[in-house]
Amino acid sequence: MTVHNLYLFDRNGVCLHYSEWHRKKQAGIPKVEEYKLMYGMLFSIRSFVSKMSPLDMKDGFLAFQTSRYKLHYYETPTGIKVVMNTDLGVGPIRDVLHHIYSALYVELVVKNPLCPLGQTVQSELFRSRLDSYVRSLPFFSARAG
Amino acid sequence: MADTVLFEFLHTEMVAELWAHDPDPGPGVSAGSRGEEAGSTTGQKMSLSVLEGMGFRVGQALGERLPRETLAFREELDVLKFLCKDLWVAVFQKQMDSLRTNHQGTYVLQDNSFPLLLPMASGLQYLEEAPKFLAFTCGLLRGALCTLGIESVVTASVAALPVCKFQVVIPKS
């Protein structure tokens, strides 16, 4: 069980942060294109899910999975989107993604006077705390499973 | 108890607002290499002294309001201990981590996890920008000392975030 990578987007589609831990195959396109593709896809899926839902929507789009990986999605009312790709053995991790938002992003980026909002995060402290948090998760193993 | 973030956000904006009037052609407060041209340094010094002045007036008011028993301040060291304990707890919800003195009017107050610097970095990133965020607090200390009858000069230094040292020098009359 492991975490492959993590994206953090803001309300305007700017990729605030990207980290990867175990990724065996790259997308084959430049990183900037990859972020745009990811954001565009999420935007479309969210509106698709709400339109086509046969019942009243509660939380909206949560995750999708393929035969090799699972993509987990968490969005805040302010439009910050946390996207994590893990392998298939991982169940719902909404609380983990929420922790990344509240205890890491809000504490270390929003409260940091030298991190301008709306741009890629430069803070080393954020990067290292996020990395150690993800590595400490119970479903993260150093060996790519 | 009021939420501490209110003061933190206000302080961030104060620093940003005063820096925005800087003649430096750089983009405001965003982290970026900032050349130390002669023109911009005088602007920066002005901003630092404005921040320090604001802290001074707040410190004066807090110095009036906070102490419970005036008789407790028998000597200078008691006043410094009051700053490290009561003033720091009232403003930052924690005590100062260490107080050292040479018993000749110089005191060094060290905070190992200063709340205004804590979310910024844990090490050397943003080191050049750190002094801006200490100016208000230097004034705070100087103002509180002034109300309690002690003239002083307060400076701050940062070797690695979030540890910072405030140096209080009380000239002998």
Side-chain angles (χ1 to χ4, degrees):
Chain A
M1 292 228 290
T2 188
V3 176
H4 297 297
N5 54 11
L6 177 95
Y7 301 77
L8 202 69
F9 291 101
D10 79 350
R11 179 190 4 203
N12 301 317
V14 175
C15 182
L16 300 172
H17 183 77
Y18 171 73
S19 296
E20 65 182 41
W21 290 273
H22 296 118
R23 185 177 182 169
K24 295 225 182 87
K25 180 186 150 307
Q26 296 296 326
I29 49 176
K31 274 286 183 264
V32 182
E33 294 296 320
E34 181 181 315
Y35 302 148
K36 279 197 230 170
L37 184 64
M38 171 67 80
Y39 186 80
M41 180 280 293
L42 290 172
F43 191 83
S44 309
I45 275 200
R46 264 179 46 236
S47 71
F48 172 83
V49 159
S50 73
K51 268 207 192 83
M52 303 299 276
S53 167
L55 304 167
D56 283 332
M57 272 238 305
K58 247 183 57 175
D59 291 321
F61 173 58
L62 294 177
F64 75 64
Q65 72 182 60
T66 73
S67 50
R68 298 305 304 270
Y69 72 94
K70 187 167 177 183
L71 178 144
H72 304 260
Y73 176 76
Y74 175 75
E75 181 178 354
T76 71
T78 54
I80 303 291
K81 303 165 174 58
V82 187
V83 182
M84 186 185 269
N85 286 324
T86 68
D87 75 352
L88 294 172
V90 179
I93 48 166
R94 218 164 150 70
D95 49 335
V96 168
L97 300 182
H98 177 72
H99 182 268
I100 290 180
Y101 170 70
S102 62
L104 294 176
Y105 178 72
V106 170
E107 288 298 315
L108 301 176
V109 179
V110 176
K111 282 194 180 175
N112 184 343
L114 297 168
C115 274
L117 302 178
Q119 292 178 23
T120 322
V121 176
Q122 300 292 343
S123 166
E124 276 307 313
L125 185 61
F126 174 74
R127 184 181 306 273
S128 62
R129 287 262 176 93
L130 179 63
D131 186 66
S132 23
Y133 175 70
V134 170
R135 283 180 196 276
S136 74
L137 290 170
F139 49 83
F140 183 93
S141 80
R143 280 177 33 251
Chain B
M1 235 11 220
D3 201 344
T4 55
V5 284
L6 296 174
F7 171 64
E8 286 172 19
F9 284 144
L10 182 64
H11 181 261
T12 303
E13 277 320 297
M14 279 177 358
V15 177
E17 184 58 29
L18 287 171
W19 241 255
H21 297 309
D22 200 289
D24 185 328
V29 198
S30 52
S33 57
R34 186 186 289 271
E36 300 275 73
E37 294 108 14
S40 60
T41 41
T42 40
Q44 285 171 23
K45 286 204 177 95
M46 276 288 295
S47 307
L48 282 177
S49 55
V50 170
L51 274 172
E52 211 260 355
M54 288 166 73
F56 180 74
R57 284 186 290 284
V58 174
Q60 280 187 315
L62 278 178
E64 283 291 352
R65 202 176 172 280
L66 281 180
R68 301 290 148 146
E69 309 136 15
T70 49
L71 299 172
F73 297 139
R74 255 171 260 116
E75 49 167 60
E76 230 170 56
L77 193 55
D78 287 329
V79 179
L80 267 296
K81 285 189 195 163
F82 161 76
L83 290 185
C84 293
K85 291 197 182 130
D86 303 298
L87 183 73
W88 227 241
V89 167
V91 182
F92 300 113
Q93 287 75 42
K94 66 182 285 280
Q95 292 190 5
M96 190 74 78
D97 291 305
S98 89
L99 168 66
R100 291 197 297 270
T101 175
N102 65 359
H103 294 291
Q104 276 157 20
T106 302
Y107 300 84
V108 177
L109 291 69
Q110 178 165 325
D111 192 329
N112 292 331
S113 52
F114 187 53
L116 297 177
L117 293 180
L118 206 50
M120 281 167 41
S122 187
L124 300 176
Q125 194 186 20
Y126 299 131
L127 194 60
E128 315 90 55
E129 317 276 341
K132 288 191 269 198
F133 298 94
L134 300 173
F136 180 89
T137 317
C138 288
L140 193 73
L141 289 167
R142 190 166 68 89
L145 282 166
C146 175
T147 328
L148 295 167
I150 301 176
E151 291 290 327
S152 61
V153 176
V154 182
T155 51
S157 64
V158 184
L161 283 75
V163 182
C164 65
K165 295 191 189 157
F166 296 93
Q167 183 174 322
V168 179
V169 177
I170 301 171
K172 292 286 169 215
S173 50

